Amino acid sequence: AIEIKNDFQDIKVINKDGMNRPAVEKCEPGIIPPFVSGYFFLNTWYSTYCQAGSFYSEEALNSCLRGKRIYLRGDSTARQWLEYLEKSLKDLNYSPKRVGNVPM
């Protein structure tokens, strides 16, 4: 085994031109990121090119997604989102759908 010393320095995240400016445009569906899209810090996502909203309360999440249809497709990450939404959304109508021969 190899021991890796835990004396790492903090990493400062800056955008491509070296400036650490806040994003000004609101994030919208279909927007194409011009470069690395962002990073997580203290369990919060920070977009590097647009302002993304945060859902700090159950009511804010329910209000945003109320009346919307959400399709999740993917691997265990999508499954984790589904499990989170099942616990967090009051009025979630979950109906699993099978695609191809993929077991559920």
Side-chain angles (χ1 to χ4, degrees):
I2 297 173
E3 181 182 345
I4 299 175
K5 297 187 187 287
N6 190 7
D7 59 353
F8 301 110
Q9 300 295 318
D10 290 341
I11 297 172
K12 181 176 181 178
V13 178
I14 58 174
N15 66 20
K16 66 181 180 177
D17 63 3
M19 302 297 288
N20 195 8
R21 292 178 296 205
V24 293
E25 181 181 357
K26 183 179 177 189
C27 294
E28 297 285 340
I31 194 168
I32 299 172
F35 42 85
V36 176
S37 60
Y39 56 94
F40 274 100
F41 180 66
L42 298 175
N43 288 330
T44 301
W45 175 255
Y46 293 91
S47 174
T48 57
Y49 65 94
C50 64
Q51 292 179 357
S54 295
F55 301 102
Y56 294 111
S57 71
E58 181 180 328
E59 183 51 42
L61 180 60
N62 277 289
S63 175
C64 178
L65 297 177
R66 188 171 290 119
K68 302 216 172 53
R69 184 174 291 193
I70 302 169
Y71 294 93
L72 296 175
R73 180 179 172 190
D75 57 10
S76 61
T77 303
R79 183 64 164 156
Q80 290 172 22
W81 270 108
L82 175 60
E83 291 168 356
Y84 171 76
L85 292 172
E86 283 180 309
K87 286 189 273 185
S88 302
L89 298 177
K90 298 174 193 167
D91 300 321
L92 178 67
N93 293 320
Y94 171 59
S95 43
K97 303 237 182 205
R98 179 178 288 225
V99 178
N101 295 331
V102 179
M104 307 230 19

